[in-house]
């Protein structure tokens, strides 16, 4: 909880930092989508040392964030705050925020089958998730990969209808992303159509194993009546569907947040999601000066688990070398420096070590 409030304070203040000392590297652009027939506004946060000429050129995982106008600043703050120390639980990442034009249209996979006028009147433009995913896969991701240093590990983050879109992408086009974060997803949508698709795929063993995190917020019975038991659908999915396949169950994680409602759950759950997806990355820092081989070993194990090569950030290795030297472990520090050279051979920082 202390960390959560620290992050809140950090988010409130990071836009007021002096421009010359800003921790934020943000690029904004408009992408002319031929698939959607409209311009889409995109925000991109780059890690702190992305342009640092003293560092070697690194390549980063990418988090694609739905509801970008709301969730992009939050995830940017998490990335900055979470990668500042040697105890980091997830790596430096590129954050890509996709701003909305019509989220009901883009995030929902179907037109509601419910024939009541109320249902269709609430969502008159729904059912275009397939087109929106094509925009991400065929236009946005190629642009990001060709203009920024990405390492090929892609994460999709969505809340509410965005969470529904994330889970529907997992079942309909699973190789679009390597990991999926679904924050209080709207699995009630259209008589639980995505829930049923996922259940069928898991039962038939046709759903590829991915790293998945699902968050469930508190919701009163009164609030859920009009949405076919929003929370109940999420809980049933996590407790009775994900567990049907041992491999999926092993790489998926979920958590109930009894003190957070649908609107406040994204903050703590997004932090938990990043920590869960990269579980095994956080180092026992105090052991490193005596056992520097732990760094390489731990990252190799993490890479094996994720099915993708994950390297320690250069900023992390630099601090570990300094910390080990401070503990008067010169031979152990040299082991870290040799590993440093192996990964980042062009770093100018090596000249000072």
């Amino acid at each position: 909880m202390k960390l959560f409030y620290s992050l809140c304070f950090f988010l409130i203040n990071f836009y007021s930092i002096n421009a010359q000392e800003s921790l934020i590297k943000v690029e904004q652009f408009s992408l002319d989508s031929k698939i959607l027939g409209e311009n889409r506004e995109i925000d991109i946060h780059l890690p702190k040392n992305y342009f640092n000429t003293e560092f070697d050129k690194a390549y980063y995982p990418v988090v694609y964030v739905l509801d970008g106008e709301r969730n992009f600043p939050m995830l940017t703050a998490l990335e900055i705050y979470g990668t500042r120390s040697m105890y980091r639980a997830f790596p430096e990442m590129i954050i890509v925020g996709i701003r909305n034009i019509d989220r009901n249209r883009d995030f929902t996979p179907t037109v509601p089958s419910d024939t009541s006028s109320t249902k269709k009147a609430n969502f008159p433009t729904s059912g275009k998730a397939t087109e929106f995913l094509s925009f991400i896969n065929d236009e946005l991701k190629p642009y990001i990969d060709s203009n920024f240093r990405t390492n090929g590990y892609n994460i999709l983050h969505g809340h509410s209808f965005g969470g529904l879109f994330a889970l529907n992408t997992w079942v309909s086009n699973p190789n679009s992303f390597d990991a999926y974060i679904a924050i209080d997803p709207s699995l009630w949508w259209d008589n639980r159509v995505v829930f049923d698709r996922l259940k069928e795929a898991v039962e038939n063993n046709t759903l590829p194993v991915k790293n998945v995190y699902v968050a469930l917020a508190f919701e009163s019975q009164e609030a859920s009546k009009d949405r076919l038991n929003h929370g109940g659908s999420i809980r049933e999915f996590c407790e009775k569907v994900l567990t049907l396949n041992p491999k999926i169950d092993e790489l998926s994680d979920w958590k109930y947040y009894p003190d957070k409602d649908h609107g406040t759950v994204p903050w703590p759950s997004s932090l938990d999601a990043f920590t869960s997806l990269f579980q095994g990355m956080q180092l026992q820092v105090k052991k490193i000066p005596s056992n520097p081989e732990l760094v390489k070993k731990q990252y190799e194990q993490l890479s094996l688990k994720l099915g993708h090569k994950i390297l320690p950030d250069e900023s992390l290795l630099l601090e570990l070398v300094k910390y080990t030297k401070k503990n008067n472990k010169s031979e152990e520090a040299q082991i870290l420096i040799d590993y440093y050279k192996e990964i980042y051979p062009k770093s100018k920082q090596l000249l000072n070590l």
Side-chain angles (χ1 to χ4, degrees), residues 212-215 238 242 248-249 251-255 272 276 279:
V212 176
Y213 187 88
V214 181
C238 294
L242 290 178
I248 289 177
D249 189 33
L251 280 183
S252 63
D253 194 10
W254 75 282
K255 183 177 178 180
D272 290 342
S276 175
Q279 185 176 12

Side-chain angles (χ1 to χ4, degrees), residues 97-112:
I98 309 171
R99 297 193 187 192
N100 286 322
I101 291 180
D102 185 345
R103 67 191 304 272
N104 293 343
R105 176 197 68 186
D106 292 339
F107 297 167
T108 56
T110 59
V111 176

Side-chain angles (χ1 to χ4, degrees), residues 63-163:
V63 184
Y64 289 86
V65 186
L66 306 178
D67 291 315
E69 63 274 20
R70 292 199 300 254
N71 294 329
F72 174 80
M74 172 185 70
L75 294 186
T76 295
L78 287 176
E79 193 279 337
I80 296 171
Y81 190 94
T83 58
R84 297 175 80 192
S85 78
M86 292 184 289
Y87 292 91
R88 64 192 67 182
F90 46 86
E92 296 176 359
M93 297 177 286
I94 295 173
I95 311 295
V96 178
I98 309 171
R99 297 193 187 192
N100 286 322
I101 291 180
D102 185 345
R103 67 191 304 272
N104 293 343
R105 176 197 68 186
D106 292 339
F107 297 167
T108 56
T110 59
V111 176
S113 57
D114 191 319
T115 57
S116 72
S117 59
T118 301
K119 284 279 183 182
K120 292 190 175 181
N122 286 341
F123 309 103
T125 61
S126 64
K128 298 296 183 180
T130 298
E131 290 82 352
F132 187 63
L133 180 59
S134 294
F135 157 70
I136 295 175
N137 282 338
D138 300 333
E139 295 180 325
L140 180 57
K141 285 202 290 189
Y143 179 90
I144 298 298
D145 289 338
S146 62
N147 287 278
F148 302 94
R149 299 196 306 271
T150 63
N151 72 1
Y153 192 82
N154 296 312
I155 302 168
L156 179 62
H157 178 287
H159 167 236
S160 192
F161 269 1

